[in-house]
Amino acid sequence: MYEMDFAKVGQKMKRLRMDLGVTQEKVANDLQCTIAFVSNVENNRAKLNLRVLLYYADLCHVPVDLILDAGRPEEAQHTPGEQQTAELLRLFQTFTPEEQAKLIRIMKIWQSKSE
């Protein structure tokens, strides 16, 4: 078994949040907590709980495993293919249903041309 590095998990959560342009204030409002608590979780000064972890995963459109992978030793992390799949899913979920349908059609066309 291995030790989870929660400092790296917090850094990953912060990076994902910032990539979306979401403020700690919004996170705090959504979670009904203080901005200081959000900062403390992201900087490993407060314990991460399941509610916060699930919130970040939902906010950032990523599986929980993608966040937790940051805290695993390299040999325990997901393969690059699994990470790419998770990233693709995260990006896909940011599109509207209409855009998602277009992307699916494009991918099917692309796939048929590669066969």
Side-chain angles (χ1 to χ4, degrees), residues 53-70:
L53 178 62
L54 291 174
Y55 169 84
Y56 272 82
D58 185 55
L59 172 74
C60 301
H61 307 288
V62 298
V64 170
D65 268 0
L66 184 81
I67 296 171
L68 292 178
D69 242 10

Side-chain angles (χ1 to χ4, degrees), residues 39-105:
S39 176
N40 287 339
V41 168
E42 289 183 352
N43 292 293
N44 198 35
R45 293 186 301 261
K47 289 194 181 226
L48 173 63
N49 63 52
L50 184 58
R51 179 173 165 260
V52 173
L53 178 62
L54 291 174
Y55 169 84
Y56 272 82
D58 185 55
L59 172 74
C60 301
H61 307 288
V62 298
V64 170
D65 268 0
L66 184 81
I67 296 171
L68 292 178
D69 242 10
R72 294 183 179 116
E74 194 170 310
E75 64 275 7
Q77 291 183 6
H78 287 85
T79 66
E82 292 168 327
Q83 291 173 354
Q84 289 172 342
T85 300
E87 177 67 10
L88 184 59
L89 178 60
R90 183 187 75 75
L91 288 170
F92 186 77
Q93 291 175 336
T94 64
F95 291 100
T96 66
E98 295 81 19
E99 292 168 331
Q100 290 175 355
K102 286 179 187 177
L103 285 169
I104 290 170
R105 285 195 302 274

